[in-house]
């Protein structure tokens, strides 16, 4: 008996650069972009028009929904759900308008960590270098400016900094 190997699915318009790894059974959405050294685990979804800027690790059974921006140096655990319009940033010092232009400023990247079993709502933004603990719930329209402990429930609101309002079951 010959068993067919289940590869991954890439929808039309997606761009996958060299040195990317995509796990078995994963789906890369239409018009998504995976820059070099993006690693996506097994049975994960990287949504339509989402971008991974490279040098990222995304776990197994993780869903990154449509139109999310995952900048370099983001590490996302397994069994994570990220709703549309999520933005993770990595450069704390953007000065003199020379960032990204090849100017004399050295870009310093701060890594961001999203631990396993985390749920992140629509339009959540994070400043560079934060860690979201496992089993956390981040509600929609939240701006994260500090680390989130495991099991926390964080509420923000339009243009408001997130506040921990409780904990999920431990």
């Amino acid at each position: 008996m010959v068993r067919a190997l289940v590869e991954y699915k890439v929808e039309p318009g997606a761009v996958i650069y060299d040195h990317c790894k995509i796990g078995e059974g994963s789906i890369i959405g239409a018009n998504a972009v995976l820059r070099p050294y993006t690693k996506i685990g097994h049975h994960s979804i990287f949504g339509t028009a989402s971008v991974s800027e490279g040098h990222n690790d995304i776990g197994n059974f993780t869903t990154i929904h449509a139109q999310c921006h995952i900048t370099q140096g983001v590490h996302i655990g397994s069994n994570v759900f990220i709703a549309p319009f999520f933005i993770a940033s990595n450069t704390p010092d953007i000065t003199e308008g020379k960032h990204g232009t090849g100017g004399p400023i050295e870009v310093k990247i701060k890594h961001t960590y999203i631990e396993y079993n985390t749920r992140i709502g629509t339009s959540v933004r994070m400043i560079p270098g934060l860690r979201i603990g496992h089993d956390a719930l981040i509600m929609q329209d939240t701006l994260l400016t500090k680390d989130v402990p495991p099991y926390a429930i964080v509420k923000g609101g339009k243009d408001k900094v997130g506040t921990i309002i409780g904990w999920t079951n431990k």
Side-chain angles (χ1 to χ4, degrees), residues 8-30:
Y8 54 86
K9 178 181 179 184
V10 178
E11 294 181 348
V15 178
I16 302 172
Y17 285 74
D18 290 340
H19 308 292
C20 290
K21 293 182 180 178
I22 302 169
E24 181 180 327
S26 290
I27 300 170
I28 309 303

Side-chain angles (χ1 to χ4, degrees), residues 16-20 34-38 52-56 72:
I16 302 172
Y17 285 74
D18 290 340
H19 308 292
C20 290
L34 302 179
R35 296 201 189 279
Y37 302 102
T38 296
S52 166
E53 291 293 348
H55 298 276
N56 297 318
Q72 285 188 18

Side-chain angles (χ1 to χ4, degrees), residues 110-122:
K110 285 189 165 186
H111 290 259
T112 298
Y113 298 88
I114 301 169
E115 295 181 2
Y116 61 92
N117 295 337
T118 296
R119 301 292 178 259
I120 297 176
T122 303

Side-chain angles (χ1 to χ4, degrees), residues 30-63:
N31 301 313
V33 177
L34 302 179
R35 296 201 189 279
Y37 302 102
T38 296
K39 180 182 175 188
I40 297 177
H42 301 297
H43 307 287
S44 291
I45 298 170
F46 193 82
T48 298
S50 288
V51 176
S52 166
E53 291 293 348
H55 298 276
N56 297 318
D57 299 312
I58 298 166
N60 300 321
F61 301 100
T62 290
T63 296

